[in-house]
Amino acid sequence: MDFTPSIVFMLLLSLVGADGIDRQGLVTKYNVFRTTLVDNNTTPLQVGNGNFAYNVDNTGMQTFLPFNTLSSWAWHNDSLPSNGERITDYHGVAMVTHGRNVSYDIPDPMLPDASQWLISNPNRINLGRIGLRYLGNTLSKEIISDPIQELDLWNGVIASRFSIDGELVKVTTQGDFDTDAVAFQIESQLISSGALEVELDFPYPPIHSTKYKYEVFVGVYDFAANHTTSIRNGSSPEVVRIYHELQDTNYYVNLRWPVNLPLRLSREDPEGSSAATAHRYTLSPFSKNSSHPSKMSFSAQFSPNGQNGPLPSTIQQRNTAGWNRYWKQGGFVDLTASSNSKAEELQRRIILSQYHVRVNSAADGQSPQESGLMNNGWYGKFHMEMVVWHNAHWVTWGRKEHFDNIFPKLYETLLPSSLARAKSMGWEGARWPKMTEIDTGASSPGGINGLLLWQQPHPIYLAELAYAADPTRVTLERWDRVITATADYLASYAWKNESSGKYDIGPPAYGVTENTPPTESRNLAYETAYWRYALDTALTWKRRLGHPLPRSWSRVAPLLAPPPIADDGLYAVYAGLNSAWWDDAALASDPRSLIMLRGVLPATPAVDPEVARRTADRVQQVWDADDVRGWGRPALAIGATRNGEPARALEWMTDFDRWAFDDAGGTPPPFMPGNAGFLYAIAYMVTGWQGSEGDTPGFPNDGSWVVKHEGLLQAL
């Protein structure tokens, strides 16, 4: 086939960007290599698609460590409390709010078990373990030697090599971009001898009767009588299914293999067994003899429906094509020409974070939980106050299709329950939950959950981000219903203080850092400024559409109480504090909300830029770097960039000793806002924000940084 020069040029551009960035070469440079066996404190390597992830040990499977297989649809409810408490008796806890009793979603001391059940249910389940079996038993870590494992980032492939009793084993693992499926190819002479087989096992969710933060291995294997599994034959010899029933949660594992490499599925124990191995299955070659090929190839698709899953070859082809497309499109940052000693590690984190968010965060219709699809953090539920940190980077990195797959659908799904919540509390519009899932939309009644506020304006921030990337009437109309419900609540919630003539926010309320006294937290600085920004933006939205301006929005917005300023001329966390609050360890140990007033929060009349700059300077002086956690460093870096301090921004982003990214690029314990917030901050530092001037405002002009970039968009 003959290529014209223009066609050749376009083909080259698919690999080398317009600015001469060799994307494939740079991504491949940071492939993950492992040559030692991992333990339960290690970030597992993953394959997946944002809605589904399969997590592996050194075998490329879940063999000697029961890492998880998680999906966005797979949930389960524990048994109801056995002490006579009824879930329907829970109605929240009343707190006096500006002279009236309002019921908030916090634990009811009179219904402790019912409250805990509502916090922990539904909970995300582990769909099953797929590992290797040797000589009739689960392959032991002790007999594995010479492990070499590589995660090929560009193609989304995990290649694992190791030896068992001196015999080489090769396992190739790939996820499917289109379904909740994973494909394996296993090669070894141990297969033809019948010594090496595949093992499938199914855990049962534990009873979540106590508060916990991380369930590393999701599910347990010692409640065999509580659930059932059975083999269901498929429509052809190369298709077989395992049906799993867990009370009200039922699903299939649809197994499929090539016709020329036939396999057979057998059960270790008879149905009804109560042994720990009662739900364990073996997948092996159809005939075990020396002439049988020394290879197994199969796919496992997890689905609520029994169906013919994709062939392994189909998954392999579209997985590679999907990952190549992901890396070629969207934004990219190249620091390789930099002489700064920290550029190499910063570049590694940029590349690996993009892999992590694609596997864990590119969901359909919902935001990821804080630990992504790696393990269960907070019962697998996502946190609505974190959706900006999880997902804003999709827009600034030029990958808006993943943003659009989540928003505004997430808010539309939660809108009926949020409207009902606000109405039951005596307010208009939609009061968005804090910790939730999309099936019920309930706000899990944690001690903080029912009183946190800063998730309420998020839909307007996210809508404005979407409009900045696609300023069309389609965008305006798509978001209008959600924005209207949000702004109606913001205006309704604000309380007219006749003494000051201003509208107050709270109490009771918890601030961003969840360390403020809720009954005293009136006019939290970040929340009041965010309220003003959101209402002003909602009014602008209506003007763009040519719609009438709601009177309540127009009345409340300019009269909102401003962020409080203490006697030192600096912003205080909430109203009523004097400058002595800086000596209050409970508040000053994490004052990130004040750093967010100018940076994360776009420009608003509520915030005085000079006061915000001086306050940010004080925050960065007093906030002990050892205490900065989670998304704190991205917030600090964004604030420093906005305040014209790029050297300080880089200090926060390259504090590698304190801010750990492990060999896989994870932020232990698995914390996806760490990776996603990191990417959002990098984009902010590279391309700036609306109204900023010049390139790379977050990198010092000291000659040690050379930042090539393409496809990034400015933040708000």
Side-chain angles (χ1 to χ4, degrees):
M1 181 178 183
D2 293 330
F3 292 99
T4 65
S6 60
I7 293 176
V8 172
F9 178 71
M10 292 304 295
L11 289 172
L12 288 173
L13 273 182
S14 68
L15 297 180
V16 180
D19 288 342
I21 299 175
D22 178 5
R23 292 194 177 201
Q24 184 173 2
L26 193 51
V27 170
T28 303
K29 178 182 179 181
Y30 296 100
N31 285 354
V32 180
F33 288 90
R34 286 182 168 170
T35 57
T36 57
L37 296 178
V38 300
D39 59 27
N40 61 351
N41 295 313
T42 308
T43 298
L45 300 187
Q46 299 175 286
V47 294
N49 57 29
N51 285 299
F52 168 83
Y54 179 82
N55 301 267
V56 309
D57 60 28
N58 296 82
T59 65
M61 305 179 80
Q62 300 154 338
T63 301
F64 61 84
L65 283 174
F67 285 130
N68 306 303
T69 306
L70 301 179
S71 175
S72 59
W73 56 262
W75 297 84
H76 169 267
N77 279 323
D78 297 335
S79 298
L80 295 172
S82 58
N83 65 348
E85 292 183 22
R86 296 184 299 180
I87 304 303
T88 53
D89 289 340
Y90 175 86
H91 300 291
V93 175
M95 299 183 72
V96 176
T97 304
H98 300 303
R100 64 185 182 91
N101 280 332
V102 176
S103 290
Y104 292 86
D105 294 326
I106 57 180
D108 185 343
M110 303 301 294
L111 295 168
D113 287 6
S115 298
Q116 177 58 38
W117 192 95
L118 288 165
I119 292 171
S120 55
N121 285 278
N123 45 77
R124 197 187 303 264
I125 63 170
N126 182 355
L127 290 166
R129 179 181 70 85
I130 305 176
L132 290 174
R133 184 180 180 90
Y134 180 59
L135 298 178
N137 296 294
T138 302
L139 175 61
S140 170
K141 181 178 183 178
E142 285 67 32
I143 62 173
I144 297 173
S145 61
D146 305 319
I148 301 175
Q149 189 173 53
E150 178 183 8
L151 168 58
D152 176 354
L153 298 166
W154 185 261
N155 296 302
V157 179
I158 299 175
S160 308
R161 295 165 58 98
F162 51 94
S163 294
I164 304 174
D165 286 344
E167 288 287 347
L168 178 65
V169 180
K170 300 179 182 178
V171 179
T172 303
T173 313
Q174 291 178 269
D176 190 8
F177 259 34
D178 292 0
T179 67
D180 288 6
V182 58
F184 305 95
Q185 181 168 295
I186 309 166
E187 300 175 74
S188 177
Q189 291 300 322
L190 295 172
I191 295 175
S192 58
S193 69
L196 189 66
E197 301 168 301
V198 169
E199 183 174 272
L200 299 94
D201 203 356
F202 297 87
Y204 186 81
I207 303 300
H208 302 89
S209 58
T210 58
K211 178 180 178 180
Y212 70 96
K213 193 167 185 178
Y214 292 110
E215 186 181 2
V216 177
F217 301 125
V218 180
V220 292
Y221 294 85
D222 50 2
F223 292 110
N226 288 8
H227 56 132
T228 63
T229 55
S230 58
I231 296 176
R232 305 286 178 90
N233 291 326
S235 57
S236 57
E238 70 275 9
V239 175
V240 68
R241 303 180 181 108
I242 300 174
Y243 182 56
H244 192 191
E245 294 183 89
L246 303 89
Q247 297 173 326
D248 57 347
T249 304
N250 309 313
Y251 64 93
Y252 294 84
V253 184
N254 300 306
L255 300 169
R256 190 172 183 181
W257 47 83
V259 175
N260 63 330
L261 290 173
L263 303 176
R264 65 176 178 180
L265 182 71
S266 58
R267 184 176 187 137
E268 185 164 326
D269 294 307
E271 290 190 37
S273 169
S274 60
T277 55
H279 302 292
R280 189 170 294 176
Y281 295 80
T282 300
L283 192 62
S284 56
F286 190 76
S287 61
K288 300 178 181 178
N289 56 64
S290 57
S291 64
H292 190 86
S294 56
K295 180 167 68 174
M296 293 176 65
S297 179
F298 71 97
S299 64
Q301 180 201 41
F302 298 84
S303 172
N305 305 307
Q307 55 192 287
N308 290 349
L311 281 165
S313 57
T314 301
I315 292 176
Q316 291 159 4
Q317 290 169 5
R318 64 190 180 198
N319 172 71
T320 297
W323 275 109
N324 292 174
R325 183 171 59 252
Y326 174 74
W327 289 114
K328 292 173 186 177
Q329 297 175 352
F332 209 83
V333 175
D334 177 2
L335 304 175
T336 55
S338 302
S339 60
N340 192 287
S341 61
K342 294 187 174 182
E344 175 74 14
E345 173 61 11
L346 193 62
Q347 182 74 72
R348 184 184 78 92
R349 296 182 178 205
I350 291 171
I351 297 298
L352 290 176
S353 290
Q354 290 178 83
Y355 186 86
H356 275 288
V357 296
R358 183 62 184 88
V359 171
N360 291 281
S361 305
D364 180 19
Q366 62 181 276
S367 191
Q369 61 166 322
E370 292 200 357
S371 56
L373 294 169
M374 202 169 293
N375 65 34
N376 266 3
W378 299 114
Y379 316 99
K381 298 182 180 183
F382 58 85
H383 293 192
M384 291 295 287
E385 84 278 16
M386 296 308 296
V387 298
V388 169
W389 283 111
H390 275 295
N391 301 296
H393 71 89
W394 290 124
V395 176
T396 56
W397 279 80
R399 296 191 171 110
K400 188 170 175 286
E401 67 273 20
H402 300 302
F403 181 92
D404 289 340
N405 286 340
I406 300 170
F407 303 114
K409 183 178 178 181
L410 170 60
Y411 286 111
E412 290 170 341
T413 301
L414 297 174
L415 187 56
S417 59
S418 298
L419 289 167
R421 181 180 301 110
K423 184 177 181 180
S424 71
M425 300 174 80
W427 289 303
E428 298 175 8
R431 181 180 172 101
W432 305 110
K434 190 274 189 200
M435 178 175 130
T436 189
E437 37 64 52
I438 61 173
D439 286 346
T440 66
S443 181
S444 300
I448 291 170
N449 297 354
L451 301 177
L452 200 67
L453 286 182
W454 69 293
Q455 75 271 25
Q456 302 305 332
H458 279 353
I460 296 174
Y461 181 99
L462 291 165
E464 192 68 6
L465 198 61
Y467 185 75
D470 183 22
T472 64
R473 190 168 186 88
V474 171
T475 302
L476 294 171
E477 292 176 346
R478 187 181 184 201
W479 279 88
D480 187 52
R481 188 163 67 114
V482 168
I483 282 185
T484 300
T486 300
D488 282 345
Y489 173 78
L490 298 179
S492 175
Y493 178 83
W495 177 75
K496 182 68 176 291
N497 185 330
E498 297 299 338
S499 298
S500 65
K502 300 289 186 180
Y503 284 90
D504 289 346
I505 304 300
Y510 269 112
V512 168
T513 49
E514 303 176 3
N515 61 357
T516 59
T519 58
E520 301 173 25
S521 297
R522 178 175 57 86
N523 293 334
L524 290 149
Y526 188 74
E527 284 73 6
T528 57
Y530 202 7
W531 238 254
R532 175 67 190 273
Y533 165 78
L535 282 174
D536 284 344
T537 303
L539 288 165
T540 298
W541 202 270
K542 291 297 185 182
R543 292 188 188 98
R544 292 168 180 157
L545 282 166
H547 291 178
L549 303 185
R551 290 184 179 181
S552 62
W553 307 1
S554 299
R555 179 180 67 252
V556 171
L559 290 178
L560 280 166
I565 297 177
D567 54 354
D568 55 3
L570 306 179
Y571 284 120
V573 178
Y574 59 89
L577 295 175
N578 59 32
S579 59
W581 82 265
W582 293 100
D583 299 319
D584 182 345
L587 295 176
S589 63
D590 191 350
R592 76 182 69 190
S593 63
L594 300 183
I595 205 84
M596 294 163 61
L597 285 170
R598 189 164 188 256
V600 174
L601 183 66
T604 168
V607 176
D608 183 310
E610 180 56 28
V611 176
R613 186 196 61 76
R614 295 199 311 269
T615 306
D617 190 59
R618 180 68 184 273
V619 167
Q620 297 191 88
Q621 291 173 13
V622 304
W623 199 3
D624 189 329
D626 289 330
D627 294 333
V628 181
R629 300 177 302 278
W631 45 271
R633 284 180 174 81
L636 286 160
I638 289 172
T641 301
R642 185 66 171 267
N643 286 318
E645 300 175 305
R648 181 173 273 179
L650 256 296
E651 286 178 14
W652 288 114
M653 292 293 280
T654 59
D655 191 4
F656 300 143
D657 291 336
R658 293 185 179 93
W659 194 14
F661 277 52
D662 60 22
D663 68 320
T667 53
F671 187 68
M672 291 306 135
N675 293 101
F678 170 84
L679 289 174
Y680 192 47
I682 288 291
Y684 199 103
M685 294 162 65
V686 170
T687 57
W689 60 97
Q690 290 183 358
S692 65
E693 297 179 357
D695 200 28
T696 62
F699 286 80
N701 187 22
D702 60 6
S704 71
W705 291 98
V706 178
V707 183
K708 295 181 181 179
H709 61 93
E710 57 193 20
L712 299 174
L713 279 72
Q714 287 187 332
L716 296 178

